[in-house]
Amino acid sequence: MLVAAAALAVVLTNRPDGKSDTAGSGSGEVFLQNAAASGPDPFTRSTARADGGSAPPASLPPRTASAVPEVSGSTPGLYGGTRSVSSCDVEQQVRYLSGEPAKNAAFASVVGISPTDVPAYLRSLTPLQLRADTRVTNHGFRNGAATTYQAVLQAGTAVMVDGHGMPRVRCACGNPLTGPVAQKAPRTTGTPWQGYSSQQVVVVAPSVTVVNVFVVYDPQDDGWFAREHGDTGEHDKPTPPPPPPTVSPSTLVPPSPSSSSPSVSPSSPVPCVTVTGTETPTPSNGITPSPCPSTLSPPASSSPPESPSDSSGPTDSSPSTESSGPGSASPESAPASDGSADLTSRSPDQQAARRADGTTSSTAPAPGPGPAPVV
C-alpha cells in the first residue's frame, strides 16, 4: 500500500529525455512512435502479436478545419485487426505487470484504479490496431514512477481499447495511454514514417455510449468482422462493410440565388423609354419599346421627381397601387413597378389623345382593354 500511495502521489510530467515538460503548458514536443518500436521508458516488454497485418488507412470523414479532428471511438472502421486473432497478448500483459509491483502501481495511478484491479481492467479492454496516425498522451516508467509525454502513434500500432473506443494501452511497450493535451505549435521529434502527414493525424474521442461491438477491418482478407467489447477474437463474426463517410450536401451545393432577384427575359414586357423631339426608341432584343408620356419623363436633376400640378399623385419611384387588369404581373415578376406596363399597352395615338384630354395620370382608369402587350 505504501508503494501504491507513493505512485499515486508522484505522476511525473517528464519527457522521455528526462527534461520537464508540463502537460498543461500548451507547448513542448510531440514524439513520433513507430508501430513496431517499443519507444522510451517502456513499462513492459512487447505483447503485440507479430502476425498482425498492416491495416490500410481508415476511411474517415474529410477534414474541415486546420485543428486535429476528433473521431468517435465507436466509428466503424476506425480500428483494424485479424479475424479470430488478438492483436495483443492480454494475459502476458497481466503477468508482466503482476510480476513487478512498482510498475503495476504506477500503471494503476495513470488509469485511476487500484493496483489490485489492474488484471481485471486489462481483461476488460479490446485488443485492436489503429488505422490512423493517432495523437495520445503516452506514459513511460522511469525511476519508480510514471512519466508523461505527448505522442503520435503510427497507424498499425497494436492497442487495447476501452468500452468507449479510447486507446488505453500500447502493446509494444505496455504503456498506459490517455487523451492528448492541446499544445501551441509543438515541436515534432522522431523519424517520420513513410506516408506520415500531420494533416492526417486524428484524436479519438470517447463515444457517448458504450461500444458493445466494434466493426473492424481485416487487411488479411480485405473483409470486415465484428468483435465484441472485451473479446480477444474468439467470437469474431463476419459483418458487412460500413457505408463510406459522406459530406453533408449543404457543404457541396452552393446556395441558389434568391427567387426575388430581378431578372428581365426577352418575353417580359419592355418598359417605356424617354425620348425627346423626334427621336425614335432604340430596339432592345428585337423589340421596340413605346415612348413614355412627357409628364412621366424624369427631370434632369437627381432630386426625386415631383408633379407641380398634383403633389399627391404617384411618382416614378412608387409602385402603382392599382392593377391594370386581371392579367397584370405581380411585383416579383414584373420588370417595371411604376405603372409603365399599363402605359405600354396603348398605341402612341391613344397616348396622345389621353394627353390632349388631360388624363395623363398613370392611375386613371383605362377606357377599355387596349391591344395586347408587345412581346
Side-chain angles (χ1 to χ4, degrees):
M1 292 303 292
L2 291 177
V3 174
L8 287 170
V10 186
V11 179
L12 303 180
T13 55
N14 294 337
R15 300 188 327 193
D17 56 11
K19 299 180 181 179
S20 177
D21 184 20
T22 304
S25 63
S27 63
E29 292 177 304
V30 175
F31 295 86
L32 302 181
Q33 294 198 276
N34 184 279
S38 61
D41 305 327
F43 262 75
T44 66
R45 285 178 287 176
S46 176
T47 61
R49 298 281 191 181
D51 55 354
S54 177
S59 179
L60 302 175
R63 183 186 297 263
T64 57
S66 59
V68 178
E70 286 190 344
V71 182
S72 173
S74 62
T75 303
L78 176 62
Y79 294 106
T82 302
R83 183 183 170 191
S84 302
V85 176
S86 176
S87 61
C88 307
D89 189 335
V90 178
E91 293 303 318
Q92 184 64 59
Q93 188 69 51
V94 171
R95 288 192 292 270
Y96 280 154
L97 290 177
S98 298
E100 299 190 53
K103 290 184 176 180
N104 189 75
F107 184 99
S109 70
V110 173
V111 299
I113 60 176
S114 169
T116 58
D117 293 332
V118 170
Y121 174 79
L122 292 173
R123 293 180 178 121
S124 72
L125 304 179
T126 308
L128 297 167
Q129 283 183 331
L130 298 176
R131 291 189 64 215
D133 295 344
T134 305
R135 181 89 141 71
V136 298
T137 297
N138 202 339
H139 302 269
F141 182 83
R142 187 193 313 118
N143 300 328
T147 62
T148 299
Y149 59 96
Q150 300 302 300
V152 173
L153 306 184
Q154 182 187 12
T157 297
V159 293
M160 298 185 194
V161 179
D162 70 10
H164 292 273
M166 294 291 292
R168 293 305 185 192
V169 178
R170 183 173 182 264
C171 301
C173 54
N175 290 3
L177 306 174
T178 55
V181 174
Q183 294 176 310
K184 296 179 182 178
R187 300 180 302 278
T188 300
T189 300
T191 303
W193 42 85
Q194 184 178 4
Y196 168 77
S197 171
S198 60
Q199 298 300 312
Q200 301 300 321
V201 177
V202 303
V203 168
V204 180
S207 65
V208 177
T209 58
V210 173
V211 183
N212 293 317
V213 176
F214 291 93
V215 177
V216 186
Y217 175 73
D218 186 351
Q220 296 293 328
D221 60 5
D222 190 26
W224 296 82
F225 64 89
R227 177 169 292 178
E228 297 179 1
H229 164 55
D231 187 44
T232 57
E234 296 179 4
H235 304 92
D236 290 350
K237 297 178 181 178
T239 189
T246 58
V247 180
S248 172
S250 61
T251 63
L252 297 177
V253 181
S256 59
S258 173
S259 59
S260 60
S261 301
S263 61
V264 178
S265 63
S267 61
S268 302
V270 180
C272 66
V273 296
T274 302
V275 296
T276 58
T278 59
E279 287 183 349
T280 302
T282 302
S284 175
N285 295 325
I287 301 173
T288 302
S290 301
C292 293
S294 58
T295 55
L296 295 181
S297 300
S301 63
S302 59
S303 60
E306 187 173 324
S307 174
S309 59
D310 185 3
S311 60
S312 63
T315 64
D316 286 355
S317 61
S318 302
S320 174
T321 58
E322 294 188 17
S323 172
S324 61
S328 60
S330 63
E332 290 81 358
S333 59
S337 60
D338 58 358
S340 60
D342 176 61
L343 294 173
T344 56
S345 65
R346 307 180 189 280
S347 66
D349 292 339
Q350 288 176 316
Q351 295 174 18
R354 286 173 60 79
R355 289 197 294 272
D357 294 339
T359 56
T360 58
S361 172
S362 62
T363 58
V374 180
V375 295

